[in-house]
Amino acid sequence: MTDTTLLQAGDRTVPPTADMVALKTGLFIDGTYGPAVSGLCFEVIDPANRQPFAQVARGGAADIDRAVAAARRAFDDGPWPRMTGAERGAVLRRMGDLIAARRDELARIEVRDNGKPLPEANWDIDDTAGVFHFYADLAEGLDGAEQPIPLAMPSFTAKAVREPIGVAGAIIPWNFPMLMAAWKVAPALAAGCTMVLKPSELTPLTALELGAIAAQAGLPAGVLNIVSGFGPEAGQPLTEHPGVDKLAFTGSVPTGARIMATAARDIKAVSLELGGKSPLVVFADTPLDQAVEWIMFGIFWNQGEVCSATSRVLVEQSIYEPLMARLADEARKITIGNGMTDGVLLGPLVSAEQQQKVLAAIERGKTEARLVCGGGVPEGLEDGCFVQPTIFADMAEDAWIWREELFGPVVCVKPFATEAEAIRLANDSRFGLAAAVMSADAARCDRVAAAFRAGIVWINCSQPTFTEAPWGGYKQSGIGRELGRWGLDNYLETKQITRRTATEPWGWYLK
């Protein structure tokens, strides 16, 4: 954190660019934008050139109090939880339509905020609109979804009903800013919950835009509140707030562990999507060009800043050397630069701090493994937060770089001799978010997929993600599932209602 983040609102003007003129930079609480109680703001930095291009209100504990109070009123006394699912679905569908209509503008904000190439940002905004449309359909399906329960005892009937859990607090990361917001906001609103959303301080802008989109779509005031700010000042007060019924978090394992411990004090419901060190197993019968393409997409897409990135690659011994040579040759060809530039496939990392973390990890890796290519800052791009696509090989099983999540464009590759060895090495991790296997043998793929200890498994591909399918991991990769019907379940309670249908006295006390 630098001194430039400690600005009083209005202290300094960051000149807006043509595509950033109408940015929402205030906190969105109870249906309106406004400054933080402290009057402080912080700068948003473009990682392609390390220059500030916006100032955003810096929320704190007092702002979280205001936001939770608004969400509490909207849940306890407002119309949103009492609307039909079809009525809520109509609002969510309008939100998706509005996001789709603003796709080009929102994608360009995402590039300036995060650094990713513009085509990838376009995909993200398309997916964000799709998430709202998907949960609009699920909201409609909640109407009339009571489940009768057969009972053995006569004169009684029972049913199970689903109800919104209450006020949800959500904290999202910086790697897919608007999409990660949608993964939590859309199912929570579909369920009838109200929410306080805390985006990453590194990438707050598209999340803040959701407030205006929600209001335009007809979402009642107080249902969605968005507080930008830093973790200790805004995130921690949100997780500790007694007015919050449910916590949803995507981010690092240490932060997730702290949130889980905090939630235990009040027995809050928690869902966590945490880190990964995901394996990709390549058997010798896989076409080499396909293997190389999916390895590269699995680790270099989004600059490797992906929780499920297949950053550990296991290659059958007989094709290990030719695959390594081809992989290194293709990695060196990747066009690196500003995400707004046509043809760029690898943008800057999200911040100078993240760049330094990844570069430090690479230096440590050089002492543990063979550096095949990359390993530094691309020539001519020293003014931005760039890191070359980097490949390591021949490390020991206990090497730090093989076992720890780096969250950057760095892949580690090891050979294996047998299917059993590949499975053992793939599962030998404290993480279990995702895993992938590539082979022309369908039966082998099914065997390996069944043996993986991971919540997401890809066969002959890596990283495709679908709103309809569950997302989440085993072990230290988290608790619960997002997306699909599973994502809606995160924000619903189940209530049993039993009715006695007989009219005569029960007979226990009255004789």
Side-chain angles (χ1 to χ4, degrees):
M1 190 183 306
T2 65
D3 290 340
T4 58
T5 64
L6 298 170
L7 299 170
Q8 292 287 339
D11 275 358
R12 174 176 168 187
T13 299
V14 178
T17 57
D19 56 343
M20 302 287 150
V21 172
L23 286 175
K24 306 298 187 297
T25 57
L27 310 180
F28 186 74
I29 297 177
D30 209 11
T32 61
Y33 287 96
V37 169
S38 67
L40 294 176
C41 58
F42 62 94
E43 291 179 333
V44 182
I45 308 298
D46 185 336
N49 55 27
R50 304 177 195 251
Q51 296 301 307
F53 68 97
Q55 289 174 1
V56 171
R58 182 171 177 159
D63 303 295
I64 292 293
D65 283 340
R66 293 192 297 133
V68 172
R72 190 82 260 167
R73 287 192 302 272
F75 184 80
D76 292 342
D77 304 318
W80 186 251
R82 294 154 192 87
M83 288 181 178
T84 65
E87 290 170 332
R88 292 197 298 269
V91 175
L92 288 171
R93 188 163 287 104
R94 286 195 294 271
M95 290 181 69
D97 291 345
L98 289 166
I99 290 166
R102 294 181 57 189
R103 181 247 212 172
D104 292 346
E105 171 199 356
L106 292 169
R108 293 175 73 82
I109 296 172
E110 204 90 315
V111 174
R112 293 290 302 277
D113 218 1
N114 169 272
K116 65 181 65 190
L118 183 58
E120 294 182 17
N122 286 330
W123 300 344
D124 291 355
I125 303 305
D126 288 341
D127 284 350
T128 299
V131 169
F132 278 95
H133 289 149
F134 176 80
Y135 282 105
D137 292 339
L138 289 195
E140 294 171 351
L142 290 173
D143 291 335
E146 296 179 351
Q147 181 179 349
I149 303 171
L151 299 177
M153 183 173 287
S155 302
F156 290 89
T157 63
K159 63 182 179 180
V161 298
R162 308 301 303 278
E163 295 182 344
I165 199 168
V167 175
I171 300 174
I172 58 171
W174 41 258
N175 53 340
F176 296 91
M178 199 172 204
L179 185 58
M180 291 296 98
W183 280 23
K184 292 174 171 55
V185 171
L189 298 188
C193 292
T194 60
M195 174 169 276
V196 178
L197 173 69
K198 207 293 280 185
S200 168
E201 65 274 14
L202 296 176
T203 55
L205 294 173
T206 49
L208 286 169
E209 293 292 327
L210 268 180
I213 289 166
Q216 187 178 352
L219 191 72
V223 174
L224 175 62
N225 305 273
I226 307 166
V227 179
S228 51
F230 292 79
E233 300 167 6
Q236 185 173 339
L238 179 59
T239 63
E240 295 175 347
H241 204 288
V244 172
D245 302 301
K246 153 79 183 181
L247 292 169
F249 171 75
T250 298
S252 71
V253 172
T255 303
R258 289 195 297 272
I259 288 172
M260 192 172 179
T262 299
R265 301 173 196 168
D266 299 323
I267 319 298
K268 284 185 174 71
V270 176
S271 53
L272 305 172
E273 202 269 83
L274 307 176
K277 190 74 172 180
S278 301
L280 192 164
V281 176
V282 181
F283 286 94
D285 58 354
T286 307
L288 200 62
D289 58 343
Q290 294 182 25
V292 169
E293 180 177 10
W294 283 111
I295 291 169
M296 291 179 61
F297 187 71
I299 187 59
F300 299 139
W301 168 56
N302 207 60
Q303 295 71 247
E305 296 170 322
V306 182
C307 54
S308 60
T310 37
S311 54
R312 290 186 297 141
V313 175
L314 293 156
V315 181
E316 194 165 5
Q317 185 71 62
S318 62
I319 63 165
Y320 179 69
E321 291 300 338
L323 185 146
M324 287 296 296
R326 175 76 175 276
L327 181 63
D329 184 52
E330 295 299 326
R332 294 186 185 101
K333 297 177 184 177
I334 291 176
T335 304
I336 310 170
N338 189 313
M340 294 290 192
T341 303
D342 288 345
V344 163
L345 291 178
L346 195 78
L349 300 192
V350 72
S351 67
E353 181 182 9
Q354 184 64 19
Q355 180 199 36
Q356 290 307 309
K357 285 181 180 179
V358 173
L359 290 173
I362 289 171
E363 290 306 307
R364 180 167 180 172
K366 291 175 182 177
T367 70
E368 300 180 313
R370 174 168 62 94
L371 178 66
V372 177
C373 72
V377 177
E379 186 177 351
L381 293 173
E382 292 83 2
D383 290 341
C385 303
F386 296 92
V387 173
Q388 293 172 318
T390 299
I391 301 171
F392 282 105
D394 306 332
M395 68 291 300
E397 291 181 33
D398 61 352
W400 180 87
I401 200 166
W402 174 255
R403 305 192 71 84
E404 294 301 318
E405 183 179 38
L406 306 186
F407 230 66
V410 182
V411 63
C412 298
V413 189
K414 282 178 65 68
F416 68 87
T418 66
E419 181 179 311
E421 182 187 17
I423 292 169
R424 179 186 65 80
L425 288 170
N427 286 336
D428 183 19
S429 172
R430 63 192 174 100
F431 299 110
L433 182 55
V437 56
M438 298 192 71
S439 172
D441 185 336
R444 174 192 282 163
C445 285
D446 289 341
R447 285 195 308 272
V448 174
F452 281 146
R453 294 290 296 160
I456 303 150
V457 173
W458 294 296
I459 294 176
N460 289 326
C461 58
S462 175
Q463 306 306 315
T465 303
F466 302 96
T467 304
E468 301 86 351
W471 183 273
Y474 291 11
K475 299 185 275 188
Q476 290 189 29
S477 288
I479 295 173
R481 294 295 181 271
E482 295 189 298
L483 297 183
R485 293 185 174 275
W486 300 265
L488 187 65
D489 288 341
N490 282 329
Y491 301 95
L492 290 168
E493 293 276 26
T494 301
K495 177 185 285 185
Q496 175 215 136
I497 299 176
T498 298
R499 181 189 302 272
R500 184 167 185 255
T501 57
T503 57
E504 69 275 9
W506 171 240
W508 171 76
Y509 178 72
L510 297 174
K511 301 297 183 182

